[in-house]
């Protein structure tokens, strides 16, 4: 079996030539937000943002600006991004982003608004030129109202776009964390993942980032690539550690529909089981985890490792479980306590181009309404709180959950937590100390733990979503 042609089956049991394997699948899906955008639908009546934000706490918000452009699209990528930009499109996009920022800032009301954290994501924010990045920062500061030099600011970059002039702008404007998508230092693996890059160019980009003196460097690596071995995985880990990054993220490879690798897999017979790939990824995960722990890194989540003694660039007093987020850009999402909302979502390149073109053509008044989203009823809020907390290595203080919801997580999620207990995924000692925390094996299965906590309604909405 080759990993580049396998699409993981979103179930908890796999059918093999010998019958049904009832073991939990470790790689259901990566839960970076709940609910996922595929559970969003058109919101009736396009509710005004002013109504959605009325009465919301606005003293510790997060601000996210989305840039939907990349120089290339990796074979595994299902993010909302398009390849390249015709002449004038980035300017038109920033014009629209400015219009949206004005409309959203007005909708937040006349009272004080404070952003406790900011991030530029994509796509690749550093696809923009240095002058355009300056304008992006101006929009975040002068219109949205974030003080970028006073709060943690995280920016995503690629090796090809991490140029000295761009990095100088980001450093001067207060960037505290630069995340570089490397994925592999082995050129053959990068090609296998349909990520055209050379190690020499990656190393040069890392040197420029260190020269820019941005406090925290994060390096993203991927395991499970076709042809990857423990030896080649160790080579990528060793190469990354040579730069002493403050953070390292280890991501399992996924092959998703409508991506480059997904289209390739559609032309080949489906294997009887993905268990072999599951075991390969688990083996490489454990190997990478142990290498980083031995190198003096602390595990923050299944994916995130932080170098011991390095400053944590946290989101100030913003808590992802409870505080709101303002998203600007056609791929950004926003959170209030009662509604999560965004624009339309797509993976297919033609569909993405259509959505981007629609975004840049909108008048300012259009941005004063929410169009796609999902109401966050109390049950969904409980689930989101548990997911956002439990998938962190430190786990969740059950007293805090009980204070917020007036109930115990063991009562609200009796079936799910009993199953995690039976699988050995929960830390019994932590439970006796009043914390709900994953065991090391539970952390390894985070991509099964998260989806197991999805509500039936969200599961149904995601299943009914028409991919585009």
């Amino acid at each position: 079996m080759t990993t580049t042609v396998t699409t993981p089956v979103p179930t908890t049991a796999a059918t093999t030539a010998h019958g049904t394997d009832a073991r939990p699948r470790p790689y259901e899906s990566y839960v970076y937000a709940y609910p996922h955008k595929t559970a969003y639908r058109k919101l009736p009546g396009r509710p005004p943002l002013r109504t959605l934000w009325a009465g919301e706490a606005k003293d510790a918000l997060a601000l996210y600006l989305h840039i939907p452009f990349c120089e290339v699209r990796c074979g595994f990528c299902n993010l909302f991004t398009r390849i390249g930009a015709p002449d004038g499109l980035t300017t038109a996009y920033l014009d629209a982003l400015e219009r949206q920022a004005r409309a959203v800032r007005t909708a937040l009301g006349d009272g004080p608004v404070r952003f406790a954290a900011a991030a530029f994501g994509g796509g690749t924010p550093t696809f923009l030129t240095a002058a355009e990045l300056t304008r992006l920062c101006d929009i975040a500061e002068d219109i949205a109202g974030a003080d970028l030099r006073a709060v943690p600011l995280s920016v995503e970059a690629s090796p090809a776009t991490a140029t000295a002039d761009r990095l100088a702008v980001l450093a001067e404007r207060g960037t505290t964390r630069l995340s570089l998508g490397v994925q592999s230092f082995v050129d053959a693996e990068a090609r296998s993942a349909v990520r055209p890059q050379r190690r020499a160019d990656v190393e040069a980009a890392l040197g420029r980032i260190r020269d820019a003196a941005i406090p925290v460097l994060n390096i993203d690596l991927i395991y499970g690539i076709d042809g990857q071995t423990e030896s080649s995985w160790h080579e990528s880990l060793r190469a990354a550690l040579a730069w002493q990054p403050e953070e390292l993220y280890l991501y399992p490879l996924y092959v998703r529909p409508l991506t480059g690798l997904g289209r390739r897999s559609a032309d080949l017979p489906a294997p009887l089981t993905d268990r072999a790939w599951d075991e390969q990824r688990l083996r490489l995960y454990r190997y990478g985890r142990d290498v980083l722990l031995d190198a003096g890194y602390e595990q923050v989540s299944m994916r995130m490792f932080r170098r011991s003694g390095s400053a944590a660039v946290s989101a100030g007093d913003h808590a992802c479980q409870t505080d709101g987020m303002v998203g600007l850009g056609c791929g950004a999402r926003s959170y209030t306590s009662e509604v999560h909302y965004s624009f339309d979502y797509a993976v297919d390149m033609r569909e993405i181009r259509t959505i981007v073109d629609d975004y840049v053509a909108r008048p300012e008044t259009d941005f004063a309404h929410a169009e796609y989203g999902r109401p966050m009823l109390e049950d969904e809020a409980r689930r989101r709180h548990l997911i956002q907390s439990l998938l962190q290595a430190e786990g969740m203080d059950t007293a805090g959950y009980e204070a917020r919801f007036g109930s115990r997580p063991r009562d609200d999620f009796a079936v799910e937590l009993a199953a995690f207990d039976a699988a050995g995924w929960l830390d019994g000692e932590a439970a006796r100390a009043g914390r709900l925390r994953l065991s090391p094996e539970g952390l390894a299965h985070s991509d099964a733990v998260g989806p197991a906590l999805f509500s039936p309604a969200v599961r149904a909405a995601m299943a009914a979503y028409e991919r585009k």
Side-chain angles (χ1 to χ4, degrees):
M1 184 197 72
T2 59
T3 61
T4 57
V5 299
T6 305
T7 303
V9 181
T11 60
T12 55
T15 299
T16 71
H18 304 290
T20 298
D21 186 342
R23 291 175 297 163
R25 297 293 307 278
Y27 298 106
E28 297 285 342
S29 66
Y30 172 27
V31 184
Y32 59 89
Y34 179 78
H36 189 268
K37 275 189 180 180
T38 53
Y40 288 11
R41 296 294 184 268
K42 280 190 175 182
L43 295 169
R46 298 177 70 237
L49 298 188
R50 182 177 287 275
T51 301
L52 297 183
W53 283 99
E56 293 287 317
K58 306 182 188 75
D59 58 341
L61 298 175
L63 177 66
Y64 177 78
L65 276 66
H66 178 258
I67 303 300
F69 306 111
C70 285
E71 71 274 17
V72 296
R73 190 173 197 185
C74 304
F76 52 82
C77 178
N78 73 335
L79 298 178
F80 186 94
T81 187
R82 60 165 292 164
I83 300 172
D87 287 346
L89 182 57
T90 54
T91 298
Y93 186 83
L94 290 172
D95 289 344
L97 197 68
E98 187 170 322
R99 294 193 298 273
Q100 185 188 9
R102 282 197 299 266
V104 170
R105 185 60 187 84
T106 298
L108 291 175
D110 298 329
V113 174
R114 174 180 168 270
F115 291 101
F120 301 159
T124 308
T126 48
F127 178 91
L128 300 177
T129 66
E132 290 169 335
L133 283 172
T134 296
R135 186 180 176 195
L136 183 69
C137 292
D138 288 342
I139 291 171
E141 289 194 321
D142 300 337
I143 301 176
D147 186 349
L148 297 182
R149 293 179 179 85
V151 302
L153 170 60
S154 179
V155 181
E156 297 171 4
S158 66
T161 61
T163 58
D165 58 340
R166 291 174 169 103
L167 293 170
V169 169
L170 295 176
E172 194 278 329
R173 298 303 288 262
T175 301
T176 50
R177 178 181 182 271
L178 197 289
S179 182
L180 192 71
V182 173
Q183 319 315 350
S184 178
F185 282 86
V186 179
D187 288 350
E189 291 180 3
R191 289 193 298 271
S192 181
V194 195
R195 183 179 177 84
Q197 67 183 25
R198 296 184 306 149
R199 177 169 175 173
D201 297 329
V202 172
E203 301 276 5
L206 287 164
R208 292 191 296 270
I209 295 168
R210 281 312 197 195
D211 289 343
I214 292 171
V216 172
L217 164 64
N218 172 70
I219 296 176
D220 287 345
L221 297 176
I222 286 181
Y223 55 91
I225 300 171
D226 188 27
Q228 191 175 53
T229 64
E230 285 188 6
S231 177
S232 64
W233 180 225
H234 181 81
E235 174 60 20
S236 280
L237 293 164
R238 186 200 64 77
L241 287 171
W243 290 96
Q244 297 187 319
E246 285 72 26
E247 293 177 6
L248 270 162
Y249 270 71
L250 307 184
Y251 288 94
L253 179 68
Y254 276 94
V255 177
R256 301 177 176 94
L258 303 182
T259 63
L261 295 183
R263 286 191 295 272
R264 184 183 301 178
S265 71
D267 298 329
L268 297 170
L272 288 175
T273 175
D274 293 310
R275 285 294 180 187
W277 190 23
D278 284 349
E279 291 303 322
Q280 182 209 24
R281 285 181 289 178
L282 272 175
R283 184 172 64 254
L284 293 174
Y285 159 77
R286 290 172 175 137
Y287 183 87
R289 174 197 63 193
D290 292 347
V291 166
L292 296 187
L293 293 177
D294 288 345
Y297 282 72
E298 301 169 350
Q299 187 165 18
V300 179
S301 68
M302 171 187 166
R303 287 164 170 76
M304 181 182 176
F305 295 80
R306 179 183 296 125
R307 197 179 75 208
S308 298
S310 63
V313 181
S314 60
D317 54 352
H318 172 84
C320 65
Q321 297 93 335
T322 55
D323 293 316
M325 183 166 81
V326 172
L328 302 176
C330 60
R333 68 183 82 206
S334 298
Y335 306 144
T336 72
S337 61
E338 296 185 352
V339 177
H340 288 190
Y341 64 91
S342 182
F343 294 98
D344 199 4
Y345 171 73
V347 174
D348 179 79
M349 269 301 186
R350 290 169 297 181
E351 297 286 348
I352 290 174
R353 286 195 293 268
T354 297
I355 295 171
V356 173
D357 290 345
D358 171 74
Y359 176 84
V360 300
R362 287 172 178 254
E364 186 171 323
T365 52
D366 262 16
F367 293 121
H369 299 266
E371 297 190 358
Y372 289 81
R374 190 167 189 87
M376 291 298 292
L377 304 176
E378 184 169 300
D379 174 64
E380 300 295 11
R382 293 170 192 265
R383 291 178 183 277
R384 180 173 183 267
H385 187 107
L386 182 58
I387 290 169
Q388 299 281 72
S389 304
L390 190 58
L391 297 187
Q392 300 298 306
E394 67 179 7
M396 183 182 75
D397 175 22
T398 56
Y401 178 97
E402 292 167 13
R404 180 180 179 189
F405 297 109
S407 58
R408 299 186 304 175
R410 286 280 183 180
D411 294 332
D412 294 342
F413 301 98
V415 174
E416 295 93 333
L417 294 180
F420 298 164
D421 267 326
W425 292 354
L426 293 180
D427 183 333
E429 184 177 344
R432 289 186 287 275
R435 295 198 71 79
L436 198 57
R437 185 168 65 200
L438 294 177
S439 65
E441 192 63 11
L443 272 180
H445 287 78
S446 290
D447 286 6
V449 170
L453 293 168
F454 290 5
S455 72
V458 163
R459 287 179 178 276
M462 292 175 68
Y465 174 77
E466 184 177 347
R467 296 191 183 107
K468 58 183 178 181

